Amino acid sequence: LDHTRNKFVGFSVGIDPDTLIGLPQPIHEGVKVLKKHVYVSLAEVQIRREEEIAKNPMTKFDLVAQGEGEVVMTPTEVLYQGMLPSLPQYMIALLKILLAAAPTSKAKTDSINILAD
């Protein structure tokens, strides 16, 4: 954004990456669409919330106690919550498949090619 602002207006705002002052309307619309459709993972939301709590412990503690800032339960989050308890079983099953596909009677110098075998 700062490069585009320098191109159109000829000045720099500095460290602030979110300011759209001095940019043409198509850039405003592009940034709006980008922010609307960008995926923010649950981990990023939790990290930001923990940083805010650490930064302002007295004020943010009340917000956490009241339940504000909860994560929206999208279908992806529901899927992850459903898979989490049995994730170790899935990993073991995938490792068993991988070990079953690997050849055992070849010399150690031969490279393993699962698709060719």
Side-chain angles (χ1 to χ4, degrees):
L1 291 176
D2 201 35
H3 175 71
T4 307
R5 187 176 297 107
N6 278 331
K7 177 181 174 185
F8 285 105
V9 182
F11 72 92
S12 177
V13 174
I15 303 172
D16 186 15
D18 297 328
T19 305
L20 299 176
I21 296 172
L23 295 174
Q25 188 62 28
I27 301 292
H28 285 257
E29 292 173 7
V31 170
K32 180 181 172 184
V33 168
L34 176 69
K35 287 183 179 181
K36 181 180 177 185
H37 294 289
V38 71
Y39 174 73
V40 179
S41 70
L42 177 61
E44 290 178 19
V45 171
Q46 290 173 340
I47 288 171
R48 273 195 226 123
R49 194 159 91 193
E50 290 296 326
E51 288 172 351
E52 287 293 321
I53 290 170
K55 188 176 179 182
N56 305 317
M58 295 303 197
T59 57
K60 293 299 175 179
F61 180 74
D62 295 338
L63 292 177
V64 173
Q66 294 173 2
E68 290 185 22
E70 291 296 319
V71 177
V72 178
M73 292 303 295
T74 62
T76 307
E77 297 297 335
V78 172
L79 174 69
Y80 287 161
Q81 280 186 353
M83 287 178 60
L84 187 62
S86 44
L87 190 62
Q89 294 172 347
Y90 297 148
M91 291 303 298
I92 290 170
L94 288 172
L95 286 172
K96 285 181 180 180
I97 292 170
L98 183 64
L99 287 173
T104 57
S105 61
K106 286 190 173 184
K108 291 185 179 183
T109 59
D110 293 344
S111 63
I112 297 174
N113 189 355
I114 294 173
L115 297 176
D117 294 338

